[in-house]
Amino acid sequence: MRKIEYIKNNYQLLTIKLLIVILFIVTCYMGFKWTYNFWYIDLIRDSDSLLGNEQFLRHIKSNFTPSLIILLPIIGIFINKKIGWILITSFFYMIIIALIFPLTKDDSLDISDYLTMGLFIGLIIFIITVMNMKKISEVTYGFTKSQLITKNIIASIIGMTLTIVIIYIKK
């Protein structure tokens, strides 16, 4: 009976955590799938020589970078303390910044790209708003209202830093 009460009271947070876990599983699966499909013949012929192949290692790095990034909020899911909230929220700030960055740089985007990114940005802002609700931030993670602004600033700085690191890795 207590589990049902917990789910009733925390369904929003549980939904966000489930979304993060699903994103992690999907990115891991896609990384394995893309690597396997691209290197299938070489894996059959001589799998030992692939570990020394620089192109193979770059390909693995690019395929599994999203999974490594999503490890940050995965760790935050299992920590029901203030640092867990910061890790989860910083991930969503990182997504917003990563979505806004191409909008300012690329001139070849059309109206459907802007609308799609706008919808995703709106969804992520909604998730950040849910993470800032009193029921989640104060009751579950122990933030006072005055601490919430500071922690949001910290989470956004971590998100910006992660975005810059990702852009640096891609180049």
Side-chain angles (χ1 to χ4, degrees):
M1 197 67 171
R2 293 180 80 176
K3 288 183 181 183
I4 294 172
E5 298 260 342
Y6 179 78
I7 291 172
K8 275 185 181 178
N9 293 333
N10 294 314
Y11 72 92
Q12 296 160 326
L13 182 60
L14 293 172
T15 305
I16 291 171
K17 289 180 176 183
L18 182 64
L19 174 70
I20 292 170
V21 169
I22 289 170
L23 279 172
F24 181 72
I25 291 170
V26 167
T27 56
C28 284
Y29 171 74
M30 294 305 288
F32 281 114
K33 182 180 173 188
W34 290 333
T35 303
Y36 181 76
N37 288 342
F38 191 78
W39 294 96
Y40 175 71
I41 302 295
D42 293 328
L43 284 169
I44 291 174
R45 261 191 269 146
D46 189 16
S47 61
D48 293 335
S49 67
L50 278 179
L51 293 177
N53 187 338
E54 186 177 323
Q55 185 181 9
F56 175 72
L57 296 176
R58 267 189 271 133
H59 199 255
I60 284 185
K61 181 180 100 174
S62 67
N63 285 344
F64 289 101
T65 300
S67 299
L68 292 174
I69 292 167
I70 297 176
L71 274 178
L72 187 72
I74 290 288
I75 293 168
I77 286 174
F78 297 108
I79 303 173
N80 273 342
K81 296 181 181 174
K82 293 178 182 181
I83 190 72
W85 184 92
I86 290 173
L87 291 174
I88 292 170
T89 310
S90 66
F91 172 71
F92 290 113
Y93 278 115
M94 181 207 65
I95 291 174
I96 285 178
I97 295 165
L99 285 172
I100 291 174
F101 186 71
L103 294 176
T104 60
K105 194 174 181 182
D106 197 0
D107 293 334
S108 65
L109 298 175
D110 60 355
I111 190 72
S112 64
D113 295 329
Y114 287 113
L115 289 174
T116 305
M117 287 186 189
L119 285 172
F120 279 120
I121 289 170
L123 177 68
I124 300 301
I125 289 173
F126 174 73
I127 291 172
I128 290 173
T129 305
V130 168
M131 289 296 292
N132 282 294
M133 289 173 55
K134 183 177 182 178
K135 185 168 45 170
I136 293 175
S137 63
E138 192 172 314
V139 175
T140 305
Y141 290 102
F143 287 120
T144 62
K145 198 170 195 174
S146 61
Q147 290 178 324
L148 207 54
I149 294 172
T150 318
K151 301 305 178 189
N152 271 302
I153 291 171
I154 291 170
S156 64
I157 289 172
I158 292 171
M160 284 186 248
T161 306
L162 284 172
T163 307
I164 292 169
V165 167
I166 292 168
I167 290 170
Y168 180 75
I169 288 173
K170 281 186 173 182
K171 289 185 178 187

